[in-house]
């Protein structure tokens, strides 16, 4: 069966294909399927947004669709930036650059010693018959004091993982997938499939 990946983010596509490649004959992105559709991510939770994104693509194409919604939650900031992670430093309603988001996070963390944070990821798989599968994963760490590492994207170079004494931007993609929020949510989905 063909599956539409409701994202054009190449980091996510690689992770999706690595873990779910065995379950679907073909996995194609929105761009590859020639679908130019942008879901309004106005849910209050990661789960709501993931389900909304996947369901809209299944309704448009009549095919199974997989979507995720993810973000960084910082305990001392009451869970911010949370579902607003991509738009944290935005002045309009569009996504801000990763750099602007990280700069704002570091500024908001000034003077805060409790640096505990987690990445959260919700994944939704929607089927043409209306059924859906939903899972969630978390990846715990701490917000660093400066950027470290070249891999990854988003907040990775500020996300320090004490057990490995490195940020998630210093990990190889395989190492990060083995413990990441998205990796965990995908493996939970694999169990359901
Ligand atoms: P989404 O594409 O709506 O899920 O937005 C997620 C946002 O959260 C991204 O723009 C990143 O800023 C952040 N984020 C989510 N997952 C990760 C990750 O694995 N590493 C770094 N940042 C992430």
């Amino acid at each position: 069966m063909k599956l539409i990946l409701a994202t054009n983010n190449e980091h996510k596509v690689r992770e999706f294909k690595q873990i779910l490649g065995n379950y679907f004959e073909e996995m194609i992105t929105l761009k590859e399927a020639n679908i130019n559709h942008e879901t309004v991510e106005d849910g209050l939770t990661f789960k709501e947004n993931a389900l909304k994104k996947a369901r809209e693509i299944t309704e448009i194409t009549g095919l199974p669709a997989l979507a995720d919604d993810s973000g960084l939650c910082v305990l001392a900031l009451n869970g911010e930036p949370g579902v607003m992670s991509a738009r944290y430093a935005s002045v309009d309603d569009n996504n801000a650059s990763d750099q602007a988001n990280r700069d704002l996070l570091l500024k908001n963390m000034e003077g805060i010693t409790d640096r505990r944070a987690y990445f959260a990821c919700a994944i939704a798989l929607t089927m043409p018959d209306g059924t859906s599968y939903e899972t969630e994963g978390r990846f715990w760490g701490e917000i660093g004091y400066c950027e470290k590492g070249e891999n990854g994207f988003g907040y990775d170079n500020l996300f320090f993982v004490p057990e490995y004494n490195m940020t998630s931007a210093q990990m190889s993609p395989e190492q990060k997938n083995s413990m990441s929020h998205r990796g965990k949510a995908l493996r939970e989905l694999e169990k359901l499939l």
Side-chain angles (χ1 to χ4, degrees):
M1 210 189 312
K2 201 189 225 177
L3 175 71
I4 310 280
L5 301 174
T7 181
N8 286 315
N9 177 324
E10 62 186 69
H11 296 275
K12 293 183 179 180
V13 170
R14 203 175 315 131
E15 281 191 45
F16 291 156
K17 286 188 172 168
Q18 254 176 19
I19 298 179
L20 295 180
N22 291 340
Y23 297 90
F24 296 91
E25 277 165 35
E26 206 186 336
M27 297 168 83
I28 58 172
T29 63
L30 290 177
K31 211 184 274 168
E32 287 163 343
N34 265 324
I35 298 165
N36 188 8
H37 175 77
E38 194 109 4
T39 297
V40 179
E41 295 182 28
D42 53 5
L44 296 180
T45 62
F46 296 112
K47 202 169 161 178
E48 265 178 66
N49 282 334
L51 196 55
K52 189 174 179 202
K53 282 191 249 186
R55 192 157 274 152
E56 286 183 3
I57 298 303
T58 292
E59 278 165 11
I60 292 170
T61 61
L63 292 169
L66 183 92
D68 85 329
D69 194 50
S70 55
L72 177 70
C73 302
V74 181
L75 299 198
L77 300 178
N78 298 317
E80 279 186 11
V83 288
M84 296 298 291
S85 290
R87 288 165 281 174
Y88 195 34
S90 176
V91 283
D92 46 32
D93 230 10
N94 296 318
N95 291 353
S97 72
D98 286 345
Q99 189 63 60
N101 286 334
R102 290 194 300 266
D103 290 346
L104 180 61
L105 177 64
L106 276 185
K107 186 164 162 277
N108 289 343
M109 290 299 286
E110 273 171 19
I112 296 179
T113 51
D114 177 3
R115 316 285 295 188
R116 287 172 300 162
Y118 61 88
F119 279 123
C121 176
I123 288 193
L125 171 64
T126 49
M127 307 302 277
D129 67 2
T131 55
S132 63
Y133 302 85
E134 293 146 53
T135 60
E136 282 193 64
R138 284 185 183 185
F139 179 20
W140 281 92
E142 293 169 8
I143 304 303
Y145 290 87
C146 62
E147 299 184 355
K148 274 191 192 146
E150 308 291 331
N151 300 332
F153 68 106
Y155 298 91
D156 274 326
N157 62 15
L158 285 179
F159 190 77
F160 182 72
V161 186
E163 297 92 303
Y164 293 86
N165 196 29
M166 58 170 91
T167 67
S168 47
Q170 291 173 303
M171 294 178 178
S172 66
E174 291 72 27
Q175 189 178 9
K176 185 184 162 195
N177 289 352
S178 73
M179 65 190 91
S180 79
H181 46 316
R182 197 164 298 102
K184 283 178 190 154
L186 278 171
R187 283 188 292 277
E188 283 303 307
L189 180 66
E190 192 180 8
K191 281 187 210 157
L192 297 182
L193 292 174

